[in-house]
Amino acid sequence: MNPATNQISKEKARLDTIARHIQPKAEKPKLVTSTCISMSNENIVKPGIRSIPRKREEVLKLHGWGYNDSQFKMNEKGVITFTGSKYKLSGMVMPQLRPWMTETIGIEVDETSESIKNIDLSKIPKPIVNEEFTNELSKTGMEISTDPMDRLVRSHGHTLEELFLLRKGETNKRIPDMIVFPRNHDDVVKLVALAVRYNICLIPIGGGTTVTLALVCPENEERCIATVDMTQMNQILWVDEKNLLARIEAGIIGQDLERDLAAIGLCTGHEPDSMEFSSLGGWVATRASGMKKNVYGNIEDLLVHVRMVTPRGVLEKNCMVPRMSAGPDLHQFILGSEGTLGIITEVTLRVRPLPECQRYGSIVFPNFARGVECLREVALNRCAPASIRLMDNQQFRFGQALKPESEGIFSSFIDGMKKFYVTKIKGYDPANMCVATLLFEGDPTVVAQQEKAVYEIAAKYQGMPAGEDNGQRGYMLTFVIAYLRDIGFDYEVVSESFETSVPWDRVTDLCRNVKDRIHHECINQGVRYPVMSTCRVTQTYDAGACVYFYLAFKYRGLADPVKSYLAVENAARDEILANGGSISHHHGVGKLRKQYMSRTVTDAAVGTIKSVKEYLDPRNIFGSGNLV
Amino acid sequence: MELLYGSQGSQKTQSGYINMLNNSKQQNFSTLRFATKDFKPPKYMHCHDRHTTKIWQTAMESDRVQWIIQQVVREESKSEEDVKQEAEHILKELAFTDHMTILRMLGYVLFKVLHSIYHDGVFINIETVKKLKDMIKHHPVVFMPSHRSYMDFTILSVVCFYLDLPLPAIAAGMDFMGMKVMGSVLRACGAFYMRRSFGTDRLYWALFTEYVHTILINGDRPMEFFIEGTRSRCGKSLNPKFGLLSVIAEPYLKAQTYDVLLIPISISYDRLLEEGLYGYELLGIPKPKESTSGLVKASSILRDNYGSVHVNFCDHISLRKYFGHLDRAVHACYPRYMLRLSSEEQKYMEILGYKIVLQQQHNMNYTPWAVMALVLSQHPHGMDMGCLIEETIWLKIIMDKCKIKVNWSTGSVQDIVQANLKKFKHLIEVEGPCNDVPKSIVRVSGITHEVKGHKTFSSNLDPTTIQETVNHIIIGNYRNQLLHHFVRPSLIAFSLLRRSGRSCPGTQFNPDTLLPDFKFLRDLLVREFIFEPKKLNDDLKQGLQFLVQCNAVVLEGFNSFILEKQANKLLQFLKSIFSVFLGGYWLTIQFLLNSTETHLQPTLPGKVQKWIAGILRNPGVEHEMLSLHMISNALHALVGLGYLSVYRVDNQKIVQPIQDQLVGAASKIAQFIDIPYLDGTQATKLGSTAAKL
Ligand SMILES: Cc1cc2nc3c(=O)[nH]c(=O)nc-3n(C[C@H](O)[C@H](O)[C@H](O)COP(=O)(O)OP(=O)(O)OC[C@H]3O[C@@H](n4cnc5c(N)ncnc54)[C@H](O)[C@@H]3O)c2cc1C
């Protein structure tokens, strides 16, 4: 083939790929599916359009997860449906879900706990205003708001205790006194300078999806708290295809970023489960991790350059290079700073051409331990697909319960598997069976090689391929699972997820011990109903894995459900640390896990973090109180 | 099981025990039913079923073993093939197998044997077992029985089978493996064999550790091991060994299991099968090598009645609770297969060992015979029956006050005493007027029934000495069962009686003033009795408590006690029980002071023994002092106190007396007891000065 035609055909292939990614309506090629996993076809927003408006509450729930229109709900027939139109699951009925919830956590149709409909804004704490600061600030032309609703919706993240409070129509004693909306880097520089001059407490907020109490205002903060809403800084400033870089404003929301890049045939590949709502700045500030990190890397791998405005000035590198040896890497202080050192304004990320091929897959294992061994070997051989996740038996069964009535891709797991290996299924005990879901992405030949390698390894551990549909369904559920907590709340169930990272040799033990600990602690707390504690391995590395736990129990009969829940989560975290796990793989520390910092690193290390803070922000302008 | 042991079968006795051998009348029938009964033990919830070969394969493939194999290959320049083969060989030698049919057959035989020798029954405290059954589902468990007889683990396995408890995997000594058929039969029932000392052989250690770990973690079976390390031949508990205990605790400390429950078990025998064997062994006469034929021969003595056995499952100790204050994350920064415990963990491991032994001791059952032995051993030259009965009654009152539970059967103490004298007529002779029972003389019999296989000629002692000593030792062993109850108050008695020789009612004393004496004696007797390290004050308190309960002293004011009228008898009694130990220790010191040779550690106790045998007729020298166990306890204690030093020359351990210290110790002991008599030739210059002090 001559080079010119080769070039042309490549170009055409690329255009095809782009078309696929931005026009999901187009006929789907057989084994390839859209990257915009969460959006159903009709509701795709045109490139350049921002999915979350300045008034978040117009689209997002006040006291729950995600879009207003989307929720699990019991219909008149007592069957659970998923409402709205945003997701593939939208409008579907899941007949097995309620029986499953009754059996595994003990919900009853008539034992409910409804959330209040509207929050009484007159009860919102009065703001502490600093007139001079407000005056000076308004001169810069930045939007400022003291509207109670604006303040309320930016006063929290998504931990259980925050939502429990909101559902009762209550707020913390202290919420932001004002919200500032900077438009660009220079606005932020001016803002920080004024905050220093008038001794204002600043708390940056991106998508507000934090699950560590990172956005909670310290109760004893007497200064005016200005929460800095970054989401109006949402442009891709430039794209450098030669070096495969893009400079992006920190307030951009994940789905908008990917959509805009897709329009020009690129992607970052960073897909945290919260990507529909979380922001680039938030990712950097919490050291986020995306589902496809095996191909694209975690946020720290993607980050090439970053600007952070601190009370000392702008912290950044003066070059934009793939790597450098110039003392300790300053980026590492910005990554994971959790809003305590300054405001991240602009981030330069590595970008990649959109993958030509995407394939799903799934493997069943006779038990969890075998699955872990398989994942370890896959990691060892560096043939891990973009994503590989291993669910334990309970999650596997939970996945079954989510099966909608309609046919198609949602046909039950066993059905899907039977299509493949009707006969071989014998010998797999449904009470121990586990499933791994796979997402391959990239060049078709590479994908084919990876598939072969992974299934070969799996066979060594009695892992049996269980079809593409099962895999795809698993990933599709990723984005709706977060909605389940809200229906749990409706039926007196508190639930939460938390995660850790751990060396390979400890994974299985840690999972088992933590689940045991949860059960024992729930008994201690007087929980009267069956407890759901389940886990999955969501990320693999050479040296270990990330494990994600889900915990849910019905709190009827407990005096203080939140307190009991926290006792259980703390017990679980204690067990995690004792088992050689970390304080967090990607959620961060915030205020929720601050108490564990001294167990996680030595005093000298805590001192180092403090001294950097002391230098950059001696007056504690960034006073959210996270981390240490 | 219901059918057979239901309503009338397993009725609980008042004290919460059931008798496993209750159906003795229809023996043949029930034995068969026993062996073929359903067996559905509870199972640990995280246990994956696997074949026994899979267990040792898992050990073989473990990171620790692979790591050590690589080390050995590198450092001893052996081929990997060879080392692996060696490892596999060791594992096969180690591993247990699982054959339910063999087990049922053995169960059949054992059940029959138990029936024929334990006429009074095998009793189990059933309430604790019920709780245990539930716990077994949630956590791996370790049975930790006391170890006084070969019967221990057979009885325990039969009990487990009987009660539908999972059968344990038993860490047994290699000596059993030597037995031709029995070795494999026991293996088929869950015994696995460990070498006595494998501290230095890293491959063996790694294999053994991983083997135990994988069983423990997966919970295939409860683990069973003897914390005392070996059978106690002297009726007392032995100090705990920590090696295997650390192996057991490691999986919890390194978070490989959520928890591990330790179940101390006290197994008490009215009469030991090995009573004679032990008597000889303690005198240094080698035991016959364990062999199946030996067992069969021994079975000829199995026709006797050995009374009853009590199996007491004690309250569990959760490692999670016990080590709860230690952060297991200390093990997060290196691979778990490298054996490393923090100094804190080691410290608490040691305390745990003592806790377990103390708990075993606490839950022992005692027979009236042990109480009689306690009286009889105070009168080595015999006593009249009336006096024996009287003192037994007096002791019964004391023990009742202190809530020491003895299985006094029904009937008067006199009847009980006479019945027991009949039971133990092979140890005791009674002579005198049959019409005037109280006047008849009871004494330790000088005729012994030679136990087959004993080679008396290889001993340091001449046959007559052996003959006249053995029964004293045996009776001492029965007495020893009780001594841990008395040792603490007795150390106080020594101190109170030190200056005046007798105690005057109304004397007031402050316990703090007792401390130096108490500490000295406690340090001296650490090998003899179980004292938890660093619990000096608690031990003193316990001793005082005993005296208070017996109304010998009363608390007066804040920290001061007053002696009561009846104190003197009790104090004198307490003193006299333990005088034999102090006397033996004193003689050991005299020997060390007199002798001018260099002493090799292994042969030293024999030399001391021989010397004591030579002065056996001296006033104050008693037969029991010939016990090698006592002598070597004395030597160990002296080393521990720094009165003896041990050093190595050419791979031989040499014991070096430190004269000043020993002289000091001897003179101190002499303040507490009437020391044995030594004449000028027997005691050289040093000895006699010490003796006079
Ligand atoms: C359902 C659900 C799923 C999730 N899945 C994942 C996942 O897969 N992977 C993952 O890593 N996390 C996940 N998270 C956690 C959360 O989404 C991440 O921590 C995310 O990075 C937060 O981004 P955000 O924009 O929402 O930040 P926010 O919640 O707004 O803020 C988080 C912290 O970052 C600081 N911050 C935000 N923006 C800036 C800025 N521009 N400059 C300085 N500081 C700033 C804030 O002050 C705060 O301390 C999930 C959360 C939920 C609720």
Side-chain angles (χ1 to χ4, degrees):
Chain A
M1 202 188 280
N2 90 36
T5 42
N6 190 9
Q7 187 57 42
I8 290 166
S9 67
K10 264 197 176 161
E11 197 54 36
K12 180 169 177 328
R14 184 177 158 187
L15 288 172
D16 284 350
T17 312
I18 295 174
R20 242 180 14 244
H21 281 275
I22 57 177
Q23 300 170 9
K25 270 243 146 166
E27 253 328 281
K28 259 186 276 170
K30 223 182 167 218
L31 297 166
V32 181
T33 33
S34 150
T35 38
C36 301
I37 293 142
S38 68
M39 268 64 65
S40 85
N41 305 346
E42 301 75 29
N43 282 68
I44 191 75
V45 192
K46 293 279 170 313
I49 289 178
R50 293 297 170 247
S51 31
I52 313 295
R54 148 78 179 75
K55 288 254 172 225
R56 299 172 184 218
E57 62 279 14
E58 287 166 7
V59 182
L60 302 182
K61 287 198 193 75
L62 265 184
H63 34 50
W65 176 250
Y67 296 114
N68 272 327
D69 76 336
S70 305
Q71 64 184 53
F72 286 94
K73 214 176 169 179
M74 210 177 291
N75 66 19
E76 322 74 54
K77 293 183 200 137
V79 180
I80 297 177
T81 63
F82 192 66
T83 62
S85 56
K86 296 240 168 22
Y87 299 88
K88 283 232 161 91
L89 206 62
S90 299
M92 295 198 182
V93 182
M94 287 140 278
Q96 289 160 39
L97 189 52
R98 185 171 66 86
W100 182 87
M101 285 175 78
T102 305
E103 191 189 321
T104 45
I105 19 187
I107 66 151
E108 294 293 340
V109 182
D110 51 358
E111 295 180 353
T112 57
S113 148
E114 302 245 321
S115 143
I116 57 115
K117 292 274 170 316
N118 289 306
I119 291 176
D120 181 357
L121 292 177
S122 65
K123 286 206 188 122
I124 295 233
K126 297 275 159 302
I128 297 174
V129 193
N130 185 315
E131 299 273 352
E132 289 169 301
F133 172 69
T134 316
N135 287 341
E136 286 292 317
L137 195 61
S138 43
K139 285 183 199 154
T140 64
M142 262 177 267
E143 188 191 343
I144 303 168
S145 164
T146 50
D147 173 57
M149 186 55 98
D150 282 346
R151 289 167 54 220
L152 175 72
V153 299
R154 289 167 187 79
S155 69
H156 66 87
H158 281 269
T159 65
L160 176 109
E161 49 182 304
E162 289 167 302
L163 288 166
F164 202 85
L165 206 61
L166 284 168
R167 284 173 61 93
K168 289 196 287 183
E170 294 169 21
T171 68
N172 285 322
K173 284 206 192 78
R174 204 69 179 84
I175 68 163
D177 298 308
M178 60 193 287
I179 312 294
V180 188
F181 296 85
R183 295 155 300 181
N184 51 44
H185 174 78
D186 292 341
D187 269 1
V188 175
V189 173
K190 287 177 205 154
L191 168 65
V192 172
L194 287 174
V196 171
R197 173 145 21 117
Y198 295 103
N199 196 17
I200 304 294
C201 174
L202 296 181
I203 298 181
I205 180 172
T209 64
T210 175
V211 283
T212 62
L213 301 178
L215 293 172
V216 167
C217 299
E219 221 166 77
N220 54 4
E221 180 56 78
E222 285 167 359
R223 298 174 293 184
C224 163
I225 300 175
T227 285
V228 186
D229 185 322
M230 298 299 293
T231 55
Q232 301 314 301
M233 290 177 59
N234 55 28
Q235 299 303 306
I236 298 177
L237 297 175
W238 47 253
V239 175
D240 173 0
E241 290 208 47
K242 190 128 232 159
N243 294 307
L244 280 175
L245 295 174
R247 172 158 301 187
I248 309 145
E249 287 185 311
I252 196 166
I253 297 297
Q255 58 168 311
D256 298 339
L257 171 61
E258 282 315 82
R259 196 184 318 102
D260 283 7
L261 285 175
I264 50 172
L266 298 171
C267 68
T268 66
H270 185 69
E271 292 187 12
D273 293 358
S274 58
M275 72 173 290
E276 297 163 281
F277 309 107
S278 58
S279 73
L280 172 58
W283 300 339
V284 175
T286 58
R287 289 183 73 88
S289 170
M291 183 177 86
K292 300 189 209 161
K293 75 95 194 151
N294 291 339
V295 172
Y296 301 97
N298 284 318
I299 195 68
E300 68 273 18
D301 308 311
L302 293 169
L303 187 92
V304 176
H305 187 268
V306 56
R307 309 182 82 181
M308 179 166 76
V309 182
T310 77
R312 262 304 154 183
V314 178
L315 185 64
E316 66 183 309
K317 292 181 186 174
N318 288 334
C319 54
M320 208 167 53
V321 290
R323 181 179 192 274
M324 84 176 177
S325 173
D329 188 347
L330 293 168
H331 286 172
Q332 297 298 338
F333 262 99
I334 297 172
L335 285 156
S337 57
E338 301 192 0
T340 61
L341 299 179
I343 297 179
I344 296 154
T345 55
E346 291 173 9
V347 182
T348 309
L349 294 182
R350 285 163 38 186
V351 290
R352 299 287 309 163
L354 282 169
E356 283 177 48
C357 168
Q358 257 192 348
R359 280 178 74 114
Y360 293 97
S362 63
I363 308 172
V364 283
F365 293 97
N367 60 48
F368 190 68
R370 300 257 85 184
V372 170
E373 286 171 63
C374 170
L375 261 61
R376 187 195 148 260
E377 188 161 332
V378 167
L380 183 86
N381 289 324
R382 299 258 174 99
C383 58
S387 166
I388 177 166
R389 289 172 170 177
L390 175 71
M391 291 172 231
D392 72 358
N393 180 260
Q394 206 173 5
Q395 264 187 52
F396 159 69
R397 287 196 267 179
F398 170 50
Q400 304 287 92
L402 276 172
K403 177 197 166 195
E405 233 167 12
S406 58
E407 287 300 303
I409 193 159
F410 287 106
S411 66
S412 93
F413 188 89
I414 303 284
D415 292 349
M417 209 168 70
K418 270 185 188 154
K419 274 186 215 149
F420 284 77
Y421 299 95
V422 189
T423 49
K424 282 197 199 166
I425 195 155
K426 286 194 198 101
Y428 289 76
D429 177 1
N432 287 316
M433 211 157 112
C434 288
V435 62
T437 56
L438 313 167
L439 167 59
F440 298 89
E441 205 170 281
D443 190 273
T445 49
V446 176
V447 165
Q449 275 169 5
Q450 267 183 352
E451 275 185 300
K452 186 163 171 285
V454 169
Y455 291 128
E456 267 169 20
I457 292 171
K460 284 207 245 171
Y461 299 96
Q462 291 148 280
M464 188 168 83
E468 265 185 82
D469 288 358
N470 286 318
Q472 186 172 7
R473 195 158 55 95
Y475 287 101
M476 210 106 54
L477 292 177
T478 300
F479 294 96
V480 295
I481 276 179
Y483 287 92
L484 275 165
R485 178 159 78 190
D486 295 328
I487 187 170
F489 272 136
D490 289 341
Y491 292 93
E492 306 186 329
V493 170
V494 282
S495 60
E496 183 68 285
S497 60
F498 46 89
E499 40 71 46
T500 187
S501 50
V502 58
W504 279 117
D505 70 311
R506 287 175 174 267
V507 171
T508 311
D509 291 340
L510 181 138
C511 293
R512 186 193 58 234
N513 289 342
V514 170
K515 286 191 267 180
D516 277 5
R517 178 76 180 262
I518 288 171
H519 279 282
H520 288 289
E521 189 58 35
C522 282
I523 292 169
N524 274 353
Q525 292 297 325
V527 175
R528 300 174 184 178
Y529 299 86
V531 174
M532 176 172 126
S533 70
T534 145
C535 70
R536 64 186 191 199
V537 176
T538 60
Q539 295 287 13
T540 63
Y541 298 85
D542 287 6
C546 166
V547 181
Y548 215 94
F549 290 91
Y550 292 89
L551 156 62
F553 61 81
K554 180 167 171 176
Y555 59 78
R556 174 165 278 247
L558 300 185
D560 187 344
V562 170
K563 203 169 146 209
S564 296
Y565 167 75
L566 286 176
V568 177
E569 189 186 323
N570 283 336
R573 183 60 59 184
D574 175 76
E575 192 65 26
I576 286 173
L577 296 182
N579 277 261
S582 65
I583 188 171
S584 167
H585 170 266
H586 58 260
H587 281 170
V589 176
K591 287 178 271 286
L592 188 62
R593 280 182 281 276
K594 236 169 124 163
Q595 54 176 314
Y596 297 108
M597 269 307 260
S598 62
R599 262 173 85 181
T600 300
V601 296
T602 61
D603 291 349
V606 172
T608 306
I609 297 173
K610 282 189 173 153
S611 72
V612 168
K613 162 89 179 167
E614 177 60 30
Y615 174 77
L616 289 177
D617 184 18
R619 298 180 68 185
N620 195 25
I621 296 303
F622 291 94
S624 58
N626 295 334
L627 220 52
V628 290
Chain B
M1 175 150 175
E2 232 84 297
L3 255 174
L4 195 49
Y5 304 100
S7 49
Q8 94 286 19
S10 46
Q11 259 164 15
K12 268 190 283 171
T13 63
Q14 279 168 328
S15 44
Y17 288 95
I18 57 162
N19 180 3
M20 180 172 81
L21 306 181
N22 214 344
N23 286 295
S24 51
K25 280 180 207 95
Q26 331 145 358
Q27 206 206 88
N28 286 325
F29 170 71
S30 75
T31 307
L32 193 63
R33 291 293 291 268
F34 172 82
T36 55
K37 81 183 193 73
D38 273 357
F39 181 55
K40 289 209 186 75
K43 205 174 111 181
Y44 172 48
M45 63 180 181
H46 295 307
C47 176
H48 293 290
D49 286 326
R50 54 181 179 171
H51 193 261
T52 47
T53 50
K54 186 78 196 155
I55 298 179
W56 66 258
Q57 277 165 11
T58 309
M60 186 71 194
E61 286 157 15
S62 68
D63 295 338
R64 187 191 314 254
V65 167
Q66 293 301 321
W67 175 59
I68 295 288
I69 287 178
Q70 291 316 320
Q71 259 186 31
V72 172
V73 167
R74 232 179 299 120
E75 286 165 29
E76 296 172 22
S77 49
K78 292 180 179 167
S79 84
E80 190 168 330
E81 250 335 89
D82 288 353
V83 183
K84 279 193 170 150
Q85 239 165 34
E86 189 186 336
E88 221 162 277
H89 180 78
I90 293 175
L91 268 174
K92 283 181 186 161
E93 174 187 286
L94 193 73
F96 73 86
T97 53
D98 195 354
H99 295 287
M100 211 52 203
T101 26
I102 300 188
L103 184 119
R104 284 179 188 275
M105 272 156 58
L106 187 73
Y108 179 82
V109 175
L110 283 174
F111 205 64
K112 251 185 137 68
V113 169
L114 295 183
H115 264 295
S116 71
I117 60 179
Y118 297 117
H119 297 193
D120 301 343
V122 170
F123 293 90
I124 308 149
N125 63 331
I126 193 69
E127 289 304 322
T128 318
V129 174
K130 281 182 194 153
K131 280 184 259 163
L132 182 61
K133 274 195 179 171
D134 187 53
M135 290 189 285
I136 282 174
K137 290 184 207 150
H138 295 103
H139 303 291
V141 300
V142 182
F143 293 150
M144 299 183 127
S146 58
H147 202 11
R148 308 222 166 142
S149 169
Y150 275 153
M151 292 308 287
D152 290 327
F153 57 80
T154 37
I155 287 187
L156 197 54
S157 289
V158 174
V159 164
C160 287
F161 184 61
Y162 173 76
L163 294 174
D164 274 321
L165 286 170
L167 298 167
I170 309 153
M174 288 294 254
D175 30 10
F176 288 100
M177 200 181 74
M179 294 194 254
K180 270 189 216 116
V181 184
M182 262 331 250
S184 355
V185 170
L186 292 181
R187 193 197 287 280
C189 302
F192 64 96
Y193 297 104
M194 54 189 273
R195 298 181 187 164
R196 271 276 140 66
S197 62
F198 44 82
T200 50
D201 185 342
R202 51 189 165 171
L203 185 59
Y204 186 84
W205 178 254
L207 289 162
F208 179 81
T209 305
E210 281 301 327
Y211 187 71
V212 171
H213 282 183
T214 182
I215 296 173
L216 198 62
I217 292 166
N218 188 48
D220 302 88
R221 286 168 171 237
M223 190 63 63
E224 173 180 328
F225 84 92
F226 300 100
I227 184 133
E228 295 162 285
T230 176
R231 280 176 300 154
S232 164
R233 275 110 167 125
C234 55
K236 292 175 293 179
S237 297
L238 301 177
N239 277 301
K241 298 269 185 298
F242 307 112
L244 199 44
L245 186 61
S246 309
V247 172
I248 294 283
E250 200 187 345
Y252 167 72
L253 293 171
K254 298 204 175 156
Q256 288 166 294
T257 59
Y258 182 78
D259 196 354
V260 172
L261 304 183
L262 309 184
I263 322 284
I265 299 171
S266 313
I267 307 180
S268 349
Y269 299 87
D270 287 5
R271 182 181 160 197
L272 278 178
L273 284 183
E274 295 101 324
E275 66 174 18
L277 288 172
Y278 290 164
Y280 284 100
E281 268 186 52
L282 290 174
L283 289 175
I285 296 141
K287 61 171 175 179
K289 201 169 161 9
E290 277 89 352
S291 67
T292 311
S293 64
L295 262 189
V296 174
K297 268 185 219 141
S299 66
S300 63
I301 59 163
L302 296 188
R303 293 203 193 96
D304 265 350
N305 177 10
Y306 288 82
S308 66
V309 183
H310 282 80
V311 180
N312 245 320
F313 289 85
C314 312
D315 287 339
H316 71 276
I317 300 170
S318 144
L319 286 188
R320 191 179 180 91
K321 254 206 188 123
Y322 178 78
F323 286 111
H325 60 299
L326 301 180
D327 188 355
R328 288 175 293 159
V330 295
H331 299 295
C333 288
Y334 64 94
R336 291 192 288 184
Y337 55 80
M338 298 180 183
L339 178 68
R340 223 165 65 170
L341 295 182
S342 71
S343 55
E344 278 289 282
E345 284 165 345
Q346 270 161 0
K347 183 176 125 195
Y348 283 96
M349 195 74 68
E350 204 163 292
I351 299 173
L352 178 62
Y354 280 94
K355 199 176 149 96
I356 293 161
V357 175
L358 286 171
Q359 204 161 323
Q360 289 174 352
Q361 240 181 19
H362 186 78
N363 288 287
M364 284 288 178
N365 274 62
Y366 311 105
T367 58
W369 169 243
V371 183
M372 287 165 63
L374 180 52
V375 176
L376 285 166
S377 63
Q378 315 281 303
H379 304 270
H381 305 294
M383 65 196 299
D384 67 57
M385 181 87 79
C387 186
L388 171 62
I389 292 167
E390 201 177 291
E391 294 218 355
T392 306
I393 292 173
W394 178 75
L395 255 177
K396 179 175 186 298
I397 295 168
I398 297 278
M399 292 175 80
D400 284 348
K401 280 184 184 161
C402 297
K403 306 206 164 56
I404 303 170
K405 285 202 193 94
V406 178
N407 304 322
W408 298 100
S409 37
T410 46
S412 72
V413 173
Q414 172 162 351
D415 294 345
I416 295 171
V417 167
Q418 281 181 331
N420 273 288
L421 286 176
K422 233 179 252 147
K423 260 194 215 163
F424 290 89
K425 61 177 185 292
H426 55 290
L427 301 176
I428 293 291
E429 52 192 29
V430 182
E431 68 183 51
C434 21
N435 49 358
D436 188 4
V437 176
K439 286 272 163 57
S440 55
I441 299 295
V442 181
R443 81 160 67 86
V444 177
S445 160
I447 310 153
T448 50
H449 309 273
E450 176 89 8
V451 178
K452 283 200 191 80
H454 277 130
K455 302 176 187 144
T456 44
F457 57 84
S458 63
S459 158
N460 292 312
L461 308 175
D462 61 88
T464 24
T465 312
I466 295 172
Q467 277 281 324
E468 61 178 66
T469 308
V470 168
N471 285 350
H472 285 279
I473 300 276
I474 296 173
I475 289 179
N477 287 347
Y478 281 111
R479 167 208 61 197
N480 282 350
Q481 294 179 358
L482 289 172
L483 289 191
H484 62 96
H485 286 296
F486 297 99
V487 62
R488 289 168 184 82
S490 130
L491 301 191
I492 295 173
F494 277 120
S495 180
L496 288 171
L497 297 173
R498 176 160 62 101
R499 284 169 210 95
S500 55
R502 60 171 289 115
S503 65
C504 304
T507 312
Q508 191 159 356
F509 66 94
N510 179 329
D512 294 344
T513 60
L514 304 175
L515 259 182
D517 285 348
F518 194 88
K519 179 175 179 341
F520 170 78
L521 294 170
R522 185 179 177 273
D523 287 348
L524 203 60
L525 296 175
V526 278
R527 285 281 174 156
E528 212 72 56
F529 302 100
I530 311 296
F531 296 110
E532 191 184 319
K534 306 209 174 71
K535 285 281 163 73
L536 178 67
N537 283 308
D538 292 5
D539 283 338
L540 180 67
K541 249 184 237 148
Q542 275 179 33
L544 286 165
Q545 175 76 13
F546 181 100
L547 294 175
V548 171
Q549 278 175 338
C550 297
N551 308 327
V553 303
V554 284
L555 183 64
E556 169 81 15
F558 170 61
N559 192 23
S560 154
F561 291 87
I562 289 186
L563 287 175
E564 291 282 2
K565 264 212 300 292
Q566 59 272 49
N568 197 48
K569 180 168 161 69
L570 180 64
L571 293 181
Q572 296 292 353
F573 172 76
L574 288 170
K575 172 177 159 177
S576 86
I577 312 176
F578 290 89
S579 289
V580 65
F581 292 97
L582 293 185
Y585 279 42
W586 184 84
L587 281 178
T588 305
I589 296 176
Q590 292 310 315
F591 172 83
L592 292 164
L593 288 172
N594 292 341
S595 164
T596 45
E597 323 169 31
T598 40
H599 300 299
L600 299 181
Q601 200 182 35
T603 54
L604 181 55
K607 286 193 203 163
V608 179
Q609 185 195 37
K610 200 168 179 179
W611 178 73
I612 296 177
I615 56 168
L616 193 55
R617 302 282 167 241
N618 287 15
V621 181
E622 289 175 30
H623 286 103
E624 267 197 67
M625 295 175 186
L626 291 173
S627 160
L628 283 176
H629 184 67
M630 185 191 284
I631 295 168
S632 73
N633 278 344
L635 292 169
H636 275 116
L638 294 172
V639 172
L641 285 165
Y643 301 170
L644 288 178
S645 64
V646 180
Y647 57 94
R648 250 173 211 282
V649 178
D650 303 335
N651 253 336
Q652 286 193 309
K653 282 187 182 166
I654 295 186
V655 181
Q656 175 72 49
I658 298 169
Q659 296 280 342
D660 296 353
Q661 301 279 19
L662 287 178
V663 170
S667 64
K668 203 125 193 240
I669 294 173
Q671 295 176 20
F672 296 111
I673 56 166
D674 303 323
I675 49 168
Y677 173 78
L678 294 179
D679 72 25
T681 50
Q682 289 158 344
T684 62
K685 44 200 173 18
L686 281 165
S688 51
T689 37
K692 259 181 247 144
L693 274 170

